[in-house]
Amino acid sequence: MARFGDNLREGAEQKVVFITGRVHPGETPSSFVCQGIIDFLVSQHPIARVLREYLVFKIAPMLNPDGVYLGNYRCSLMGFDLNRHWLDPSPWVHPTLHGVKQLIVQMYNDPKTSLEFYIDIHAHSTMMNGFMYGNIFEDEERFQRQAIFPKLLCQNAEDFSYSSTSFNRDAVKAGTGRRFLGGLLDHTSYCYTLEVSFYSYIISGTTAAVPYTEEAYMKLGRNVARTFLDYYRLNPMVEKVAIPMPRLRKEKSPPYKHPLLRGPASNYPNGKGDKKSSVNHKDPSTPF
């Protein structure tokens, strides 16, 4: 078991989770999922605090900002589907892709950095629920280990479907981030495409479709983040950071006293204080 704060020690190996989103500008749900991840990780939730101590999260929430600005559905300003150009991105034609790839390669070559996860967030126009695409490896053990994270996520998120998750090496997907980085990085790294439906999800054991909302997308993002706690078996650490700080001094609030009414007209200019005095005083237990 790693010690608390190991990831922040001088010279310690850093375990990195790299997350990207919105490479296809029309897939707006991916931004809400990514927002849910970010909001949770920067919060003071005990799980988030533990994750920040043990992992480094690198997040590029929008790989295609010009396409988003223009209202494109899939392409960039230059008319390229960026998620097909990971093999050799141009610094001029695909600048965001080129920059992210350079950073990932730099971290991969750094002996003090372990790039353990790459997750690219998308939205799907025909499938329901959230699900993942993974890679196929000749090494059976590596292939089985790759299935662990989606299975854990399925336990944490009611809208995530492991049965819809698939692992492939489709030639059409060769230029995607998942496929390219899955071939570049070593056996300790796992690369996924996280897909989420544009419209609805079905909870296991039911048949009714539940429409997705912005909050539901962000909740999926929060569940993605918390799944790293289960994956790295950091649950015992949560109790350590969740212990409340002791109060320095216990103060008692002064007892509530009703005003003394000495006469029917002494405290009320209109001379009618004897009948409505009980409703003119605010109950101290009632919030403002």
Side-chain angles (χ1 to χ4, degrees), residues 192-203:
Y192 305 94
T193 298
L194 172 61
E195 297 273 3
V196 61
S197 173
F198 267 103
Y199 51 99
S200 59
Y201 62 94
I202 297 178
I203 300 176

Side-chain angles (χ1 to χ4, degrees), residues 115-252:
L115 182 55
E116 309 221 330
F117 282 90
Y118 171 75
I119 300 177
D120 189 26
I121 307 174
H122 288 253
H124 207 285
S125 60
T126 59
M127 298 280 286
M128 300 180 70
N129 291 68
F131 58 96
M132 279 180 158
Y133 291 127
N135 296 312
I136 291 179
F137 303 105
E138 300 298 334
D139 183 353
E140 179 65 22
E141 182 181 354
R142 184 183 183 188
F143 177 74
Q144 294 297 332
R145 290 200 308 268
Q146 184 186 212
I148 295 176
F149 188 86
K151 288 181 178 179
L152 292 174
L153 179 55
C154 187
Q155 295 177 5
N156 290 331
E158 65 179 6
D159 58 322
F160 184 85
S161 171
Y162 183 76
S163 61
S164 297
T165 295
S166 63
F167 305 91
N168 60 67
R169 54 171 55 158
D170 189 348
V172 178
K173 307 286 188 179
T176 64
R178 168 183 62 88
R179 284 290 309 279
F180 170 75
L181 294 174
L184 172 69
L185 305 177
D186 61 26
H187 68 280
T188 63
S189 304
Y190 300 100
C191 302
Y192 305 94
T193 298
L194 172 61
E195 297 273 3
V196 61
S197 173
F198 267 103
Y199 51 99
S200 59
Y201 62 94
I202 297 178
I203 300 176
S204 178
T206 67
T207 57
V210 181
Y212 264 114
T213 62
E214 294 178 7
E215 173 57 30
Y217 287 129
M218 290 190 285
K219 182 179 179 181
L220 176 59
R222 295 192 293 269
N223 285 326
V224 169
R226 65 175 291 193
T227 299
F228 289 106
L229 185 87
D230 300 325
Y231 183 85
Y232 288 101
R233 300 180 180 179
L234 299 173
N235 304 74
M237 298 296 102
V238 176
E239 296 180 1
K240 295 183 179 181
V241 301
I243 298 176
M245 294 295 292
R247 297 179 63 179
L248 297 179
R249 184 177 59 182
K250 185 176 182 180
E251 297 181 355
K252 294 183 178 179

Side-chain angles (χ1 to χ4, degrees), residues 14-20 41 55-61 103-104 107 113 115 117-119:
Q14 293 188 332
K15 294 180 172 62
V16 176
V17 175
F18 207 109
I19 298 173
T20 57
L41 290 176
L55 299 169
V56 172
F57 290 87
K58 303 282 188 180
I59 303 177
L103 177 59
I104 290 176
M107 289 190 298
T113 300
L115 182 55
F117 282 90
Y118 171 75
I119 300 177

